[in-house]
Each structure stands twice: as C-alpha cells, then as structure tokens.
C-alpha cells in the first residue's frame, strides 16, 4: 500500500514537487516542444534544399541548370513532406505511450481503492 506524501503548498512549490517526484508526468508538454523543434529542423532542411536547387540553377548554364534544379526541388519537397509525416507519427507514438501509462496509474488506483473497500467490509 502506497503512503500519501504531503505535498507542499503554493504554485512554485507544486511545480518543484512535480519535478522531484514522478506523481505527474510532464512528458506531454516536453513532447510538444520537441515536436515543434523537429518541425523547425525539417523546415530548415526544406529551405536548404530550395537554396541548393537555386544554386545549381544559377551555377550551370541556362537549360542544364534549370533541368537539374526542378527535380531537386520536387524531390526535396517530397522528402520533407515524408519527414513531416514520420516525425508526427513518432511524436504521437510517444504521447500515446505516456497516455497509456497515465491510464494504467488511474486503473491501479481504482483497484487499490476497491481492495481497501472490500477489506473494510
């Protein structure tokens, strides 16, 4: 049987308490930050691909540079779209895992309450 710990009072103390104990998981908020940071990196890669295509188009003579640049832009943007979908599914997977963990903690608490109620009767 788990013993309830005395939680400190006040908003700042509650945040510190949540950081020091694992009563409440903060991973959902962290996953959101990681998701947006990953999207920023993918966007940076897309801008790099477009810049590389423009560089190829400028460096080579007119017809050949343009013929090389168009497939680079199209292929790069398709790869970036696939990366965005993969990154989203990766982050959703971790959110689902932590949601399952929270649900199991609630179920475990309910079972413990039922067990205590039966024992007191």
């Amino acid at each position: 049987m788990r013993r309830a710990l005395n939680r400190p009072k006040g908003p700042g103390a509650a945040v510190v308490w949540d950081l020091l104990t694992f009563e409440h998981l903060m991973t959902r908020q962290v996953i959101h930050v990681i998701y947006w940071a990953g999207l920023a990196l993918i966007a940076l890669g897309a801008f790099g691909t477009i810049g590389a295509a423009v560089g190829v188009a400028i460096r080579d003579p007119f017809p050949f540079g343009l013929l090389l640049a168009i497939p680079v832009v199209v292929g790069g943007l398709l790869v970036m779209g696939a990366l965005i979908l993969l990154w989203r599914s990766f982050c959703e997977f971790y959110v689902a895992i932590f949601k399952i963990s929270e649900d199991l903690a609630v179920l475990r608490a309910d079972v413990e309450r039922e067990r205590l109620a039966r024992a007191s009767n």
Side-chain angles (χ1 to χ4, degrees):
M1 185 166 111
R2 293 177 72 186
R3 191 180 76 166
L5 299 172
N6 294 332
R7 290 182 59 112
K9 307 292 188 258
V15 170
V16 172
W17 183 258
D18 286 343
L19 283 173
L20 295 176
T21 64
F22 289 97
E23 293 295 320
H24 300 283
L25 298 177
M26 297 176 49
T27 310
R28 269 194 190 164
Q29 294 84 5
V30 174
I31 288 290
H32 287 285
V33 171
I34 291 172
Y35 173 70
W36 286 106
L39 283 183
L41 288 175
I42 292 171
L44 189 64
F47 290 136
T49 301
I50 292 170
V54 169
V56 166
I58 291 173
R59 187 186 68 207
D60 289 339
F62 174 66
F64 298 114
L66 192 60
L67 289 175
L68 285 175
I70 291 173
V72 168
V73 168
V74 171
L77 292 178
L78 287 174
V79 167
M80 292 306 143
L83 284 175
I84 288 171
L85 291 175
L86 284 173
W87 184 246
R88 174 73 186 210
S89 64
F90 176 77
C91 290
E92 283 183 6
F93 172 74
Y94 278 103
V95 168
I97 292 294
F98 287 107
K99 181 65 177 165
I100 289 170
S101 172
E102 290 173 2
D103 291 345
L104 286 175
V106 169
L107 288 174
R108 194 175 302 128
D110 287 346
V111 167
E112 187 66 29
R113 253 182 284 150
E114 274 187 35
R115 186 178 299 146
L116 289 174
R118 285 183 190 155
S120 66
N121 287 336

